[in-house]
Amino acid sequence: MASGKIEEAPRPKSRAGRRWIQLPPFLAMLYEALVDNCADERVFLGPEGGILRRSNFTRRYRRPAWDGDPSNPDRAKRVPAILAGFTFHEGRHTQRTWLADDGVARAARLGHKLPGMV
């Protein structure tokens, strides 16, 4: 960020900054359709068309999705928690566990250079 504006880097800082993501076929089809029908060069934008910033995304989308809103005064808007208190970092560790269970876990897959980091 420079002068209060988000600037897009011309390239990743390192080769590790660009990764392939393995998706199940049904999810890959959904994302492909989303990208094909997107009018903007960015697929995921904020409510007013701006870039999603991590802090805003967490506050507006992740926390409400994970924590729910069980005490909302409007009964129609009461939503139970899905994963109360869950964090993005915990999600990364959960994925690592699932990959290990499937025999897929490798240091490079998780973004680490050294095998001991897994």
Side-chain angles (χ1 to χ4, degrees), residues 4 7 11 13 21 26-27 53 62 76 90 95 110:
E7 294 181 7
R11 64 190 176 285
K13 287 192 268 183
I21 300 173
F26 81 92
L27 192 54
R53 297 173 74 173
R62 280 191 186 132
E90 289 166 339
Q95 182 204 30
L110 298 171

Side-chain angles (χ1 to χ4, degrees), residues 78-101:
R78 288 184 187 168
V79 180
I82 296 171
L83 295 167
F86 194 74
T87 65
F88 183 80
H89 190 72
E90 289 166 339
R92 184 177 170 106
H93 287 279
T94 301
Q95 182 204 30
R96 182 194 65 192
T97 302
W98 292 337
L99 288 170
D101 289 348

Side-chain angles (χ1 to χ4, degrees), residues 12-118:
K13 287 192 268 183
S14 70
R15 288 177 41 186
R18 184 172 291 172
R19 299 185 189 145
W20 288 99
I21 300 173
Q22 296 173 343
L23 298 174
F26 81 92
L27 192 54
M29 286 184 356
L30 290 173
Y31 275 116
E32 287 169 5
L34 186 64
V35 169
D36 290 344
N37 295 314
C38 184
D40 196 274
E41 70 178 46
R42 290 182 176 86
V43 177
F44 301 105
L45 300 171
E48 297 174 18
I51 296 172
L52 288 173
R53 297 173 74 173
R54 183 182 60 199
S55 60
N56 288 341
F57 187 79
T58 295
R59 183 173 38 84
R60 291 181 185 156
Y61 302 101
R62 280 191 186 132
R63 290 278 41 111
W66 291 336
D67 298 338
D69 192 3
S71 58
N72 193 312
D74 182 348
R75 287 174 93 54
K77 293 181 180 177
R78 288 184 187 168
V79 180
I82 296 171
L83 295 167
F86 194 74
T87 65
F88 183 80
H89 190 72
E90 289 166 339
R92 184 177 170 106
H93 287 279
T94 301
Q95 182 204 30
R96 182 194 65 192
T97 302
W98 292 337
L99 288 170
D101 289 348
D102 292 341
V104 179
R106 297 184 317 251
R109 172 70 176 90
L110 298 171
H112 300 295
K113 288 183 180 179
L114 303 174
M117 296 300 292
V118 223

